Amino acid sequence: MPDIIERLHEYIEEHWEGHLAKTREFVRQPSISADGTGMAEMAALIRDKIIALGGESEIIPTPLHPVVWGRIDAGQPHTLLYYGMYDVQPVVGEEAAWIVSPFAAELRDLPGLGECLVNRGIMNQKGPLIGFLNVLESIRALGEELPVNVVFMI
């Protein structure tokens, strides 16, 4: 297992610019639940990412915003449930407080942190989700099987 993890880290470092580009594209899609902005488009983007990983996925309508269900069957005895959100808080009235536009996904050097990707939802919802999807893609790119089946409820 340590060899796979080391290879995975190396792969991600070697393909960092591609991962960053995918992350920026993903988080730039507005998905504001309070007014519905971009919610359907974000759900479709997540569904398409799961399918591109070799999984099955569908968008399940609800009275408010759709749920994205998905499954990657790796033929393993154990299953991991990835539960998450794809919505973000409204930005109306907050634009002046941002150092970049809330959905710009710009890199900025932040004191004490270094270079950071700044975007609404990058830390709480959408950033961790696309990070997980990027890791699954990297595992597959290395020719490795996923160590668990994955079920998504987003």
Side-chain angles (χ1 to χ4, degrees):
M1 185 66 115
D3 178 55
I4 294 170
I5 293 172
E6 186 175 315
R7 288 180 36 231
L8 183 59
H9 280 273
E10 289 172 3
Y11 180 86
I12 291 169
E13 284 294 324
E14 291 170 9
H15 296 87
W16 179 251
E17 290 302 320
H19 286 286
L20 179 60
K22 290 173 190 173
T23 300
R24 292 174 90 177
E25 174 190 1
F26 192 82
V27 300
R28 282 179 172 150
Q29 170 58 55
S31 52
I32 304 170
S33 59
D35 64 11
T37 301
M39 294 297 286
E41 293 85 354
M42 193 72 220
L45 185 58
I46 295 165
R47 177 203 58 209
D48 294 349
K49 294 266 185 205
I50 294 168
I51 292 170
L53 287 167
E56 59 181 300
S57 184
E58 63 181 285
I59 296 172
I60 302 169
T62 74
L64 290 175
H65 303 298
V67 170
V68 181
W69 175 89
R71 177 175 173 84
I72 300 173
D73 185 351
Q76 300 294 348
H78 301 292
T79 299
L80 172 75
L81 171 63
Y82 188 104
Y83 172 80
M85 305 173 288
Y86 62 89
D87 65 315
V88 300
Q89 294 295 314
V91 296
V92 175
E94 291 189 10
E95 293 91 341
W98 281 76
I99 60 173
V100 301
S101 176
F103 295 103
E106 290 185 21
L107 291 171
R108 290 295 172 102
D109 189 27
L110 300 180
L113 298 174
E115 190 174 54
C116 295
L117 185 61
V118 179
N119 198 87
R120 175 65 101 196
I122 195 70
M123 289 294 296
N124 189 13
Q125 299 99 349
K126 291 160 58 172
L129 174 55
I130 188 61
F132 184 70
L133 295 170
N134 280 342
V135 167
L136 294 179
E137 181 182 324
S138 297
I139 292 169
R140 289 271 169 92
L142 287 171
E144 297 289 340
E145 292 297 321
L146 299 180
V148 294
N149 306 308
V150 182
V151 171
F152 297 89
M153 185 63 65
I154 312 293

